[in-house]
Amino acid sequence: MKKHKLETYLEVYDSISELPDTIQNLMNKAQQARNNAYAPYSHFKVGAALELSNGVIVLGSNQENAAFPSGLCAERVAVFAAGANYPGERILHLALTVQSGHKEITTPTPPCGACRQSLAEYEVNQDHPIELYFMGETGKVVKSQSVRDLLPLIFDSSFLE
Ligand code: THU
């Protein structure tokens, strides 16, 4: 028996103002996108903004549904919109931010497992890491160099071959 240790390195920024200008701009777009969340059930709004290699910024926000599982997270709304409208363009950066109707969230809030899996498919296919920046409503911002760093032991299409 051998033991394997999995390590992930994340960068933690004290606030948005520490980020490069282009990423601050992307996070501002994610905050704006968050206002378009449809979250009457959870009162938890999520905004996503991703930048493509052609410079286009694609937005997403969570869209809930009375039949609960029919809704979709902000990250997947954004990444599927990018795939549908700009096929072949690489996703370079993704900014995420949340806002709760119950309390101010200051803890950086990472994408859920299902979104990590969906994002991983795009990262593997484009053979280029997607940089992720995520935060709460205010406070620190966490940067992950790639989806892979947030989802080790990735399951991808190579297992289906
Ligand atoms: N949500 C997202 O949009 N992204 C995530 O990564 C986590 C959760 C949404 C789904 C649901 O509308 C609400 O947040 C509460 O789970």
Side-chain angles (χ1 to χ4, degrees), residues 39 42 44 46 62 64 72-75 110-112 115:
S42 71
F44 189 82
V46 185
N62 53 326
E64 298 184 350
L72 200 60
C73 291
E75 297 89 324
C112 76
C115 285

Side-chain angles (χ1 to χ4, degrees), residues 72-160:
L72 200 60
C73 291
E75 297 89 324
R76 277 177 284 168
V77 168
V79 82
F80 293 161
N85 293 294
Y86 303 96
E89 288 296 331
R90 288 196 300 197
I91 301 165
L92 302 181
H93 319 285
L94 172 63
L96 298 171
T97 176
V98 306
Q99 184 180 45
S100 167
H102 304 297
K103 58 180 181 181
E104 185 178 333
I105 298 186
T106 55
T107 308
T109 313
C112 76
C115 285
R116 294 180 204 193
Q117 178 66 31
S118 294
L119 290 164
E121 183 100 8
Y122 288 81
E123 183 172 275
V124 169
N125 285 349
Q126 71 180 22
D127 197 22
H128 188 277
I130 302 172
E131 273 186 1
L132 284 97
Y133 295 83
F134 53 89
M135 65 181 297
E137 182 181 352
T138 56
K140 295 184 193 305
V141 182
V142 172
K143 174 187 175 185
S144 169
Q145 300 277 8
S146 69
V147 180
R148 192 172 286 276
D149 283 342
L150 293 182
L151 189 67
L153 305 182
I154 228 161
F155 179 83
D156 66 14
S157 61
S158 63
F159 292 100
L160 303 178

